[in-house]
Amino acid sequence: MIIRITLLLLFFAFAVLISADLLLALDMPMLPELITQLGLAFLLTAIALLIITGLLVIIKLIIAACLEYFSAKQRLQRQLLFIQSQQDRLKKLFFFRATQINYFNETKRKQLLTVNNRQHIDSLSKAITKDLQLIKHQLSKTTYLQLQQENSRYRDQQDIEALLKLQQKIATFI
């Protein structure tokens, strides 16, 4: 409605300004100046009305948006979204912490397994050394030294299967 009024004022202002040009062509001295001022007043009124209407619409939209933003429904929706994002964050955090704990536990288990294997290899090597000491007088010196070297080499290589075979080999000499 206000836009129609503004457009009518604009058309009326242009019509008045065109009529002022026609009156100027007819050599009327005072009347064209008055009509030009009247046309300019209509033109300024139309523009001012359009600007004021635009500002009022913008203010109305801002107030409506503020009322919508601070409404109970929107507050509850924002709280719900906040709680959902917190839950998602906690789920991700739980997943990553669980993954981290599993990684550290697996690493610790591997370390303990390595230490345990090393202890078993050392005890097996000591048992082999004891067995070699027991049968030292039954073996030739070269065989005895060769078996000791194999024992040391397999212990250094952490080769438990070779140590077990060596122990079985020594058991055949007993």
Side-chain angles (χ1 to χ4, degrees), residues 8-149:
L8 286 175
L9 283 172
L10 282 173
F11 289 134
F12 188 64
F14 287 131
V16 169
L17 289 173
I18 289 173
S19 65
D21 282 342
L22 292 175
L23 288 176
L24 191 57
L26 296 175
D27 288 332
M28 299 185 123
M30 257 336 227
L31 195 55
E33 284 181 25
L34 288 174
I35 292 180
T36 302
Q37 288 180 1
L38 181 66
L40 289 176
F42 281 136
L43 188 62
L44 288 174
T45 305
I47 292 173
L49 184 64
L50 192 61
I51 290 172
I52 290 171
T53 304
L55 288 175
L56 288 175
V57 167
I58 290 173
I59 290 171
K60 182 181 175 185
L61 290 174
I62 290 173
I63 290 172
C66 287
L67 289 176
E68 172 82 16
Y69 181 79
F70 292 110
S71 70
K73 179 182 174 185
Q74 287 293 322
R75 275 195 318 255
L76 290 175
Q77 247 181 348
R78 283 192 303 275
Q79 286 175 348
L80 179 66
L81 289 174
F82 175 75
I83 291 169
Q84 285 175 345
S85 68
Q86 287 287 67
Q87 284 179 340
D88 289 343
R89 185 184 65 81
L90 289 175
K91 283 179 186 176
K92 288 177 185 175
L93 183 64
F94 176 78
F95 171 75
F96 288 125
R97 282 194 179 161
T99 304
Q100 183 183 32
I101 288 170
N102 288 338
Y103 171 76
F104 287 132
N105 285 341
E106 185 64 23
T107 304
K108 187 67 175 175
R109 187 187 69 76
K110 286 180 182 178
Q111 288 174 349
L112 290 173
L113 186 62
T114 304
V115 169
N116 190 24
N117 284 344
R118 196 169 297 133
Q119 287 174 350
H120 283 289
I121 288 172
D122 287 343
S123 65
L124 184 59
S125 177
K126 285 179 186 176
I128 291 172
T129 304
K130 244 185 217 181
D131 290 343
L132 280 175
Q133 289 295 326
L134 288 175
I135 61 168
K136 180 178 181 181
H137 61 285
Q138 296 174 358
L139 301 173
S140 67
K141 188 171 186 171
T142 57
T143 309
Y144 175 75
L145 289 176
Q146 180 187 2
L147 291 174
Q148 268 189 334
Q149 287 174 354

